[in-house]
Amino acid sequence: MQGTYDRSRWFELLKHGSIEEIKNELETVPRAFLLTLTDSSQSRHTCVFFAVQSENVSRGTQILEILLKEGADANYKDALLQTALFYSCRYGRNEQAQMLIDAGAEPNQRDTYGQTALYYAAREGQASTTKILLDNKADPNNIDNLGQTALFYSSREGRLEVTKILVEYGANINHADKTHNTPLSWAKKSANNELVEFLKSKGGVDKMTKKKKETEAPQKKKDNKKKGEKKQQCVLMIVDEKGEKRPLNKEEMKEFEEKHPDIARYWKDPNAVNDLDRMDLETLEAKKPWEKLGKKLLNTLWRVNQAWVFHEPVDPIKLNCPDYFEIVKNPMDFGTIKKKLNNNFYANTDEFLKDIELVFSNCKLYNPPESYVVSICNQVLALYQSQIRQLGLDALRNS
């Protein structure tokens, strides 16, 4: 049947067809086939995903009710191991979320990021949806791949009402993630003072601040011990395409010294070291006027809501996308760009901006246009385009 039926017809009806047309299709074509049919995108979505993503919520709820009554699998998992429940909770569609749970959708299903539907409701500030999930036994202390619970996401995004609900249902307020941050640490970054005070009133501790205080005194002693010591060793480093540093080997060092005798003299001639003290650092800094602006741009993009999907290189195994490197030949992510920028890899503005744009183009190349990750990509891209104009980086592009 799959070989002769035009699957695009079914999904077009789900997107734009009337309720009657959808019912008629279910009468005409074997229901078991239509209900398990997946679209042609990388997401591998079935009909229930299209119902919960309908722009018309009332229409989507009607379609979902029909599909579930006909036997559609509410617990079907897409390419990211997410069920339709993830989408209904992200959008705050409470009636749909409850329908899916009643039909068998598992509230504690973990996706490839180790997250459950609760994370998506918490991140988006869907308070009533969060309560529905918790009332249906969603675990408020599930830990994702970053060592974080849903409370971290509500705290980071400044979602006070959701945070209160999670705490009320037993979320561990002082759990520390893999970077030793607690929900209070993230709440402080959200700049929501009322949220910060609420967590403190419940006994919240900022473990990073505590750790700094504990290590500050020993560090000062260590610094005092080293005070007055004069370092003489010079190591020449090379930065690769991933932004990683490594020392030059003997052959590379020899080649460098032959090509750049004016630089090599600083370690070959002891008297030349004194010239370094007389260098005008402001003049050297002025040769790369875009670097500070570039760091400001990257920091702005880094902090965008849900831009964390671009923070690290794509892991095809963890994200269940084994064909990723077959499609994306030049992978790039914000973390690698940050390394390269901090290690002076980029020679000019154009090289730096091309890497950022590569992140966006790779995302759109691999993921279908209607996917959630592309919607995030479009938001970050719009901010990027606005920021490079405001910061004047577009004018420096070919300098």
Side-chain angles (χ1 to χ4, degrees):
M1 185 72 191
Q2 289 209 39
T4 57
Y5 182 78
D6 180 9
R7 71 174 67 200
S8 63
R9 170 182 168 78
W10 174 232
F11 294 110
E12 189 62 28
L13 283 175
L14 291 168
K15 284 181 182 178
H16 306 295
S18 67
I19 301 296
E20 284 307 312
E21 286 175 319
I22 292 170
K23 284 182 176 179
N24 288 338
E25 195 75 2
L26 285 165
E27 291 293 332
T28 308
V29 181
R31 295 174 190 176
F33 168 71
L34 286 180
L35 296 176
T36 56
L37 189 64
T38 57
D39 67 0
S40 56
S41 74
Q42 296 285 342
S43 300
R44 301 203 304 271
H45 282 171
T46 60
C47 52
V48 289
F49 287 83
F50 283 79
V52 298
Q53 293 184 86
S54 175
E55 292 182 6
N56 184 323
V57 181
S58 175
R59 174 182 176 275
T61 302
Q62 282 183 274
I63 295 171
L64 182 62
E65 185 178 14
I66 293 167
L67 296 172
L68 292 176
K69 279 184 178 179
E70 293 294 343
D73 183 4
N75 210 37
Y76 172 85
K77 304 167 192 67
D78 67 8
L80 291 176
L81 300 183
Q82 296 181 350
T83 64
L85 182 62
F86 282 74
Y87 291 81
S88 62
C89 292
R90 177 185 296 134
Y91 302 136
R93 298 180 178 178
N94 297 339
E95 186 178 355
Q96 294 178 8
Q98 190 63 63
M99 286 168 62
L100 288 163
I101 292 171
D102 291 342
E106 172 53 57
N108 290 311
Q109 164 63 29
R110 287 161 55 91
D111 64 11
T112 53
Y113 308 108
Q115 299 182 354
T116 63
L118 186 63
Y119 285 76
Y120 293 84
R123 186 185 292 120
E124 298 300 328
Q126 309 292 0
S128 55
T129 316
T130 298
K131 198 169 187 311
I132 287 172
L133 288 167
L134 291 166
D135 284 337
N136 284 277
K137 310 303 181 187
D139 182 4
N141 289 310
N142 176 76
I143 298 171
D144 69 7
N145 299 344
L146 297 175
Q148 299 179 341
T149 65
L151 186 60
F152 282 75
Y153 293 85
S154 65
S155 299
R156 186 185 69 187
E157 303 303 329
R159 312 295 192 185
L160 177 60
E161 191 177 353
V162 173
T163 298
K164 286 181 176 180
I165 293 170
L166 288 167
V167 172
E168 179 190 343
Y169 278 76
N172 184 348
I173 202 167
N174 284 321
H175 172 75
D177 63 15
K178 290 183 178 180
T179 61
H180 308 294
N181 281 300
T182 60
L184 179 57
S185 310
W186 289 104
K188 288 180 177 179
K189 296 175 184 179
S190 77
N192 185 332
N193 293 330
E194 192 177 353
L195 174 58
V196 170
E197 292 306 315
F198 168 74
L199 290 172
K200 285 182 177 178
S201 72
K202 295 296 181 179
V205 175
D206 183 353
K207 290 193 176 180
M208 284 298 287
T209 303
K210 187 178 178 183
K211 188 176 179 182
K212 283 179 184 176
K213 286 179 179 178
E214 288 172 352
T215 58
E216 196 173 38
Q219 185 62 44
K220 282 182 179 178
K221 288 180 182 179
K222 191 176 180 181
D223 292 342
N224 289 336
K225 188 178 179 181
K226 290 187 175 181
K227 200 172 182 180
E229 291 181 6
K230 196 171 181 180
K231 295 181 179 179
Q232 297 291 342
Q233 189 176 6
C234 176
V235 179
L236 195 62
M237 309 290 283
I238 189 170
V239 183
D240 63 20
E241 285 289 337
K242 294 182 180 179
E244 301 288 351
K245 286 182 179 179
R246 67 168 178 82
L248 271 68
N249 58 39
K250 289 182 179 180
E251 291 74 19
E252 289 171 332
M253 178 65 87
K254 184 179 179 181
E255 183 182 350
F256 181 89
E257 289 176 344
E258 289 173 355
K259 284 186 178 179
H260 305 282
D262 54 328
I263 298 175
R265 74 186 183 89
Y266 289 116
W267 58 81
K268 291 182 129 185
D269 179 4
N271 296 322
V273 177
N274 296 326
D275 294 342
L276 291 173
D277 295 330
R278 294 191 290 271
M279 278 192 177
D280 184 352
L281 295 180
E282 289 185 5
T283 302
L284 291 174
E285 195 71 26
K287 290 182 179 180
K288 286 191 175 182
W290 60 270
E291 279 194 339
K292 285 185 179 178
L293 298 174
K295 289 178 180 178
K296 186 174 182 180
L297 169 67
L298 192 57
N299 286 336
T300 299
L301 300 180
W302 189 277
R303 292 194 298 267
V304 173
N305 183 21
Q306 300 185 42
W308 54 268
V309 297
F310 304 123
H311 286 184
E312 297 177 350
V314 169
D315 184 335
I317 297 174
K318 186 167 72 175
L319 300 180
N320 192 30
C321 50
D323 60 343
Y324 185 80
F325 292 123
E326 293 175 18
I327 297 170
V328 177
K329 302 300 182 184
N330 298 299
M332 186 51 60
D333 62 279
F334 287 170
T336 298
I337 294 171
K338 184 179 281 191
K339 272 187 187 178
K340 292 169 77 170
L341 186 59
N342 290 337
N343 290 333
N344 299 306
F345 177 86
Y346 298 111
N348 52 53
T349 319
D350 196 48
E351 288 182 4
F352 167 65
L353 295 182
K354 278 183 177 177
D355 262 2
I356 294 181
E357 289 162 4
L358 184 59
V359 175
F360 303 134
S361 61
N362 285 344
C363 178
K364 293 187 176 187
L365 175 64
Y366 186 79
N367 299 285
E370 70 276 9
S371 66
Y372 180 59
V373 71
V374 169
S375 71
I376 298 170
C377 177
N378 288 331
Q379 292 174 36
V380 183
L381 175 58
L383 178 62
Y384 162 78
Q385 291 168 337
S386 168
Q387 285 291 303
I388 61 171
R389 289 192 296 271
Q390 288 182 31
L391 294 170
L393 282 166
D394 53 344
L396 294 170
R397 184 148 201 164
N398 297 312
S399 61

